[in-house]
Amino acid sequence: MTNTPHTTAAGRGSTAQASRGERLATWADGRVGLFSLAKSNLRKIFPDHWSFMLGEVALYSFLIIILTGVYLTLFFKPSMDEVVYHGQYAPLDGVMMSQAYKSTVDISFDIRGGLLLRQLHHWAALVFIMAMLVHMMRVFFTGAFRKPRELNWLIGAGLLILGMFDGFMGYSLPDDLLSGTGIRFMEGAILSLPIVGTYLVFFIFGGQFPGTIWVPRMFTVHVLLIPGIMLGLLVAHLILVFFHKHTQGYGPGRTNKNVVGMPLMPVYMAKAGGFFFLVTGVLAVFSAIAQVNPIWSYGPYRPDQVTTDAQPDWYMGYSEGLIRVMPGWEINFLGHTLVLGVLIPLMVFPLILLALWLYPFFEAWLTGDQREHHITERPRNNPNRTAFGAAWISEYALLLVGGGNDLFATHFHLSLNAITWTVRVGFFVLPVLVFVITKRWCLGLQRRDHEKVLHGRESGIIVRKPHGEFVEVHEPLTQSSLYSLTAHEQYQPLELPPEVDENGIRRKIGWPQRMRAVLSRAYFGEGGQYPKPTPAEYREALEAHGGHGAEHEPVTERSH
């Protein structure tokens, strides 16, 4: 009894302390729904696969871009007013330059850690766009863009194109000779647009090129407009990923109605946090040991000079490749000179991107499938889609070679004209060749899976039967392996309805419907996919091997 007051006092102190925290939590919950939000979402399950890290690399690189960009804006002066340089870099002492160029040189040599952060910002931008492109390829090849994720696919495409143009504006801001040459390239491309080209140039540059206001205008677009749009699209992208749940591959227990994986909190958040610091560390190492965009070597921009290594960053290289390999054709149309050598590449530039971005809608129209898909496909199980994606990548890579034809010529001691003509011919030939090879490759892999399901896996063990025949022992597949190899769905070709209906009236079948049937046969008919084993074929194979299930004992195949 003597200890009761002391215990009660301590209990009152703990209760009072806890109640203050509870009151704060209750106050937050009453305004943002904290408890219900955390309860319903922090235990959300996410599947685990190494390829999902590609999207995380893009996300973390974007965060690094924002953080380093905020720091750089504190010292960068977006002005084209001319000043004379008297800074730490002696080779430029006394040179006339713009405020934009001088402030960038000052960041590199006078601001503590400025050069490291400049390079970190640039490297993060390069990796960000690369990670987005590879992430989109992963989504494309696995069919993760299908309903209900078409909108998220378009959001990803928008992020990629915005990132490309924002990166172009970013490395143009220092007003050095290399970036100025790139801006001059852009000005020439805009001028090639019929009728409106001249007006657009005057609007962007405020008069004749180079003018005095394009750096401040581009700075505003680079640090405010495009990043704001990208941030909004990124939030929408993540919300839709959260809402639709993450895609997962075929496997035991995985269906379109569940998710097999780890909870968001604490497992996934801990892994994501560690991966963020890993990405940051790798980018920091790149920034410390690999020089990028040394503007002091190029000097300030002058309209009468051009850098010898005028190369854009890799993600804009394919657009330059289009320009470089296009013949310098010009025609006169209604009193206007059309520079086809620039105008045609400008028209092809978005078409190459749209061909990939609009493909999900083409496939949905072709299959007529309106169901939701939360299970990804193995690329081999959709040969035509995989072949199309591989052809697109080959086209993109070929144009990158065209954009750096001078570097390939000098480094490999090749003829510049030979490289240019190779890219010109390859533009039409290479995608077709890659499409055919990739499709046959996928069909071969499907055929191998078909044989593996029916006869088991080759073990490499050769045995001799009593009557002298040599055979290879095939190891049985587990039930989970059999499921993974056969659970995918194969579409059947669409058939046109009869020419005459049940009342003897001739049907009206339009050309879109006929084209859809033809493409469907090409995609899903004979030669478009290798049929997976049917239950009857599987039972027949079991009977041929003694009626034993493949999961119990080895199955042998007669040697040829």
Side-chain angles (χ1 to χ4, degrees):
M1 295 295 293
T2 56
N3 293 332
T4 302
H6 175 75
T7 304
T8 304
R12 284 197 303 269
S14 300
T15 303
Q17 184 177 2
S19 64
R20 286 193 292 268
E22 290 178 359
R23 287 198 300 269
L24 179 61
T26 302
W27 180 89
D29 179 59
R31 286 151 181 83
V32 298
L34 186 63
F35 292 163
S36 58
L37 187 66
K39 184 178 180 180
S40 61
N41 293 316
L42 289 183
R43 298 297 294 175
K44 189 175 180 66
I45 300 299
F46 279 87
D48 188 21
H49 192 268
W50 67 266
S51 63
F52 298 156
M53 293 191 298
L54 299 172
E56 294 185 43
V57 171
L59 173 63
Y60 303 149
S61 300
F62 183 74
L63 294 178
I64 295 171
I65 292 172
I66 296 298
L67 294 175
T68 55
V70 169
Y71 180 84
L72 294 176
T73 56
L74 300 177
F75 305 99
F76 180 73
K77 298 178 181 178
S79 172
M80 298 186 71
D81 294 339
E82 291 190 335
V83 295
V84 178
Y85 180 77
H86 296 291
Q88 295 292 331
Y89 189 66
L92 290 176
D93 187 58
V95 175
M96 184 79 71
M97 60 186 62
S98 66
Q99 286 275 17
Y101 183 81
K102 179 180 181 300
S103 62
T104 308
V105 175
D106 290 341
I107 291 173
S108 302
F109 294 103
D110 294 344
I111 305 300
R112 186 178 298 275
L115 180 58
L116 178 64
L117 287 176
R118 263 197 68 229
Q119 300 222 137
L120 182 59
H121 187 73
H122 201 130
W123 270 113
L126 296 175
V127 173
F128 170 61
I129 299 175
M130 173 64 79
M132 279 200 297
L133 183 61
V134 178
H135 174 61
M136 288 190 70
M137 289 294 99
R138 195 276 302 176
V139 172
F140 181 85
F141 285 119
T142 60
F145 53 72
R146 293 173 295 173
K147 184 181 179 181
R149 296 176 177 82
E150 302 96 332
L151 180 59
N152 229 4
W153 169 263
L154 291 180
I155 290 176
L159 284 169
L160 179 59
I161 192 68
L162 287 174
M164 292 170 62
F165 280 102
D166 204 36
F168 171 76
M169 294 181 184
Y171 70 69
S172 300
L173 286 177
D175 196 30
D176 60 289
L177 189 57
L178 178 62
S179 66
T181 303
I183 293 296
R184 189 62 179 265
F185 178 90
M186 182 187 74
E187 183 240 2
I190 297 174
L191 282 175
S192 69
L193 297 175
I195 303 176
V196 299
T198 304
Y199 297 98
L200 288 176
V201 166
F202 272 71
F203 172 75
I204 294 173
F205 296 99
Q208 291 284 352
F209 178 85
T212 58
I213 63 172
W214 68 265
V215 167
R217 286 183 174 180
M218 194 170 289
F219 177 78
T220 303
V221 175
H222 174 70
V223 305
L224 182 62
L225 181 59
I226 293 182
I229 297 174
M230 292 182 67
L231 188 59
L233 290 176
L234 180 61
V235 171
H237 182 78
L238 295 177
I239 290 175
L240 288 177
V241 169
F242 212 84
F243 175 72
H244 291 146
K245 69 186 179 182
H246 213 297
T247 55
Q248 56 185 344
Y250 277 107
R254 300 176 182 178
T255 68
N256 279 316
K257 298 182 179 180
N258 70 351
V259 179
V260 178
M262 301 175 297
L264 176 64
M265 190 70 183
V267 180
Y268 199 84
M269 289 297 293
K271 294 178 66 175
F275 192 53
F276 168 75
F277 289 109
L278 178 62
V279 171
T280 305
V282 171
L283 288 175
V285 171
F286 285 175
S287 306
I289 66 176
Q291 180 175 267
V292 61
N293 198 21
I295 63 166
W296 52 88
S297 299
Y298 306 129
Y301 177 67
R302 286 180 50 181
D304 60 332
Q305 295 182 355
V306 176
T307 53
T308 56
D309 56 346
Q311 304 286 337
D313 280 340
W314 72 268
Y315 47 86
M316 297 299 290
Y318 98 94
S319 61
E320 177 149 335
L322 285 168
I323 299 285
R324 290 194 181 192
V325 303
M326 180 69 191
W329 296 339
E330 291 185 4
I331 62 173
N332 188 280
F333 180 74
L334 299 178
H336 297 278
T337 300
L338 300 183
V339 186
L340 299 183
V342 180
L343 180 60
I344 291 179
L346 282 182
M347 297 171 62
V348 175
F349 172 81
L351 292 179
I352 293 178
L353 298 177
L354 288 174
L356 185 72
W357 294 344
L358 298 181
Y359 179 88
F361 302 95
F362 164 76
E363 187 173 298
W365 168 77
L366 186 63
T367 60
D369 190 357
Q370 298 298 322
R371 298 168 299 169
E372 290 191 359
H373 295 274
H374 302 288
I375 301 293
T376 57
E377 291 183 317
R378 301 172 78 194
R380 68 183 64 178
N381 291 331
N382 198 317
N384 284 284
R385 178 207 296 154
T386 303
F388 179 84
W392 188 91
I393 292 175
S394 70
E395 188 78 280
Y396 194 98
L398 181 69
L399 291 174
L400 284 180
V401 174
N405 56 1
D406 55 335
L407 294 181
F408 281 91
T410 55
H411 283 68
F412 296 101
H413 307 289
L414 300 173
S415 168
L416 182 66
N417 289 333
I419 296 175
T420 301
W421 273 103
T422 300
V423 176
R424 286 175 179 174
V425 176
F427 180 85
F428 301 98
V429 175
L430 183 63
V432 177
L433 186 63
V434 171
F435 183 93
V436 173
I437 294 175
T438 305
K439 183 178 179 179
R440 291 182 62 85
W441 191 357
C442 291
L443 291 174
L445 291 174
Q446 283 187 322
R447 188 180 298 110
R448 189 187 69 173
D449 290 344
H450 183 281
E451 295 299 320
K452 190 184 295 184
V453 169
L454 296 181
H455 305 294
R457 181 182 292 106
E458 296 178 356
S459 65
I461 301 174
I462 307 298
V463 298
R464 183 178 183 181
K465 289 188 173 183
H467 58 276
E469 181 185 12
F470 289 91
V471 296
E472 182 181 10
V473 177
H474 281 217
E475 297 178 353
L477 298 181
T478 62
Q479 287 296 324
S480 61
S481 297
L482 289 172
Y483 178 83
S484 299
L485 292 178
T486 58
H488 63 279
E489 182 180 7
Q490 289 189 325
Y491 292 100
Q492 297 302 315
L494 298 177
E495 299 293 341
L496 288 175
E499 294 288 341
V500 180
D501 63 14
E502 62 276 5
N503 298 320
I505 301 175
R506 188 176 183 84
R507 298 179 189 271
K508 293 182 178 180
I509 303 177
W511 68 266
Q513 194 173 359
R514 296 182 185 275
M515 180 181 293
R516 183 182 178 190
V518 171
L519 292 173
S520 179
R521 284 194 298 270
Y523 253 66
F524 309 115
E526 184 178 357
Q529 59 185 356
Y530 195 83
K532 63 182 182 180
T534 63
E537 290 177 326
Y538 184 69
R539 287 192 295 268
E540 183 180 348
L542 291 182
E543 294 174 0
H545 299 302
H548 298 286
E551 69 275 16
H552 295 303
E553 66 180 52
V555 178
T556 59
E557 183 182 68
R558 288 192 299 174
S559 60
H560 298 285

